Amino acid sequence: MVAIAILAAGKGTRMKSDLPKVLHPLGGKSLAGRVLESADPLNPDKRIVIVGYRAELVREAFAGLPNLEFVEQLEQLGTGHAAVQLLPAMKGYEGDLIILNGDVPLLRSDTLVKLLETHRKSGMAATILAAHLPEPKGYGRVFCSEAGQLESIIEDRDCTPEQRQNTRVNAGIYCFRWADLERVLPNLSNDNDQKEYYLTDAVNFLKPVMVVDCDDFEETLGINDRKQLSEAYAILQTRIKDHWMRQGVTIVDPSSVTIDDTVTIATNAIIEPQVHLRGNTAIGVSRIGPNCMVENSQIQDGVTLLYSVVTDSQIGAGTVVGPYAHLRANTEVGENCRIGNFVEIKNTQLGPKTNAAHLSYLGDATLGTQVNIGAGTITVNYDGKNKHRTVIGDRTRIGSNSALVAPLTIGSDVTTAAGSTIVEDVPEQSLAIARAPQVVKLGWKPKWQRES
Ligand code: UD1
Ligand code: CA
């Protein structure tokens, strides 16, 4: 049996933010969200998030997750004081408890598995995760005996200058036999430089304690300020891009590309420079970029997407989009379509082989197959109060510079004349012209040129 608890009650003063530190986003997920996820493979039977500063926001962020409860730390008097708040919720629990700092988001699940296994094999009351950091400033230092057993953890600010030279740090990730931690928690004091109750003191009380070193120190980096947040983002990005390149995705210039770890990309896709893939996005065997942002969208195979922004939309196989297109809010583009320069499409479905190649706005519309939208066509979907739909049948050709005033249904095989303002439905297989007839005045001159 294993339970996990996440320390997430602190404000994170050094972030200089009203948002609790643990809710700051890192590549599309919050810091604490990542910490929580890293423990999923352990299948914990109990998960506790300790909340305090703006607790309602933290509760809201994780509401509804299975096996998850919240414990409130009303005053943030230190990590040890946070752990004391676990006592009622953990009463009678007979397994191990892994405590994780909510601000250590790069931890790999494998490392937690190793921590738990080592802990169980050793049979000791506690096992901690340590790492050698090139820049250990700010971290608690871990001192071990020659036999590798913990002697003490001393916070950076409580260290002597000589102790500070030690680069082996406490990662803020611990595995305790709960019954033993429960016994020592009431003995913590705040007799230190910060006047805080330290969880690390509980570890010191429980000796002999095992220390597991994490080989990849980047996993143990804690986020205390925005600079560290951006450093963590860079590490995360390297991991994600390396992963996709190993899967056979070409990323032409990784340094100019960002990819959330919620994104999937097919083998042999080509990601050109300056591409940003976010949220629940799936990319087929397609060429994306240069210069695209794709968010919460699914792109099928054989798509070319150039200098465009796509959000909450789907693009069918073989379709060419851009340069400079904006697809958003539930747009579904069919297969082998052409969406061209300066075209905005919102909440619209396009059948296969339909083209809108130049300078258009299509909003709240349904287009059939092989429709051609002439340059400069606008769906007039908004009357100032409500949005209305435009429906266009198969093979219909909308003339350039048309205004289609919705609600409007245009049948199949229709042609509308260029420059028309179409306000009434058009039946199938017809021509609609709605523009002033042209007048030609022969021999006409401007007034000032006329003889009086
Ligand atoms: C802590 C460790 C330090 C370790 C470092 C690793 C202690 C005393 N020190 O220091 O040894 O090297 O993490 O990153 O534990 N929190 C609460 N309630 C509180 C205070 C903090 O829930 O009263 C939470 C914070 O929200 C945060 C986590 O605990 O998620 C760590 O707190 P932080 O103040 O960042 O601890 P560090 O000073 O970094
Ligand atoms: Ca910290």
Side-chain angles (χ1 to χ4, degrees), residues 26-27 228-238 258-260:
L26 176 64
Q228 289 172 329
L229 185 64
S230 79
E231 286 161 0
Y233 185 72
I235 292 167
L236 189 66
Q237 283 302 310
T238 304
T258 61
I259 304 174
D260 283 355

Side-chain angles (χ1 to χ4, degrees), residues 28-29 77 93 100 104 107 127 183 187 195 223 237 242 281 298 369 439 445 450:
K29 296 176 192 162
L77 304 179
Y93 189 79
L100 301 136
V104 183
L107 196 69
T127 305
R183 188 167 42 80
N187 306 337
K195 295 278 168 281
I223 312 300
Q237 283 302 310
D242 286 358
T281 286
Q298 290 72 50
T369 169
V439 174
K445 286 181 185 160
R450 291 178 208 163

Side-chain angles (χ1 to χ4, degrees), residues 32-77:
R34 287 186 177 278
V35 174
L36 203 56
E37 252 185 43
S38 67
D40 281 351
L42 301 176
N43 289 319
D45 49 18
K46 206 173 168 63
R47 305 193 288 176
I48 302 177
V49 180
I50 302 170
V51 296
Y53 175 73
R54 301 199 72 188
E56 70 291 350
L57 291 182
V58 184
R59 280 174 190 269
E60 200 182 294
F62 300 110
L65 292 179
N67 289 342
L68 189 128
E69 50 192 296
F70 299 93
V71 157
E72 195 125 353
Q73 185 193 17
L74 291 174
E75 267 181 299
Q76 286 78 59
L77 304 179

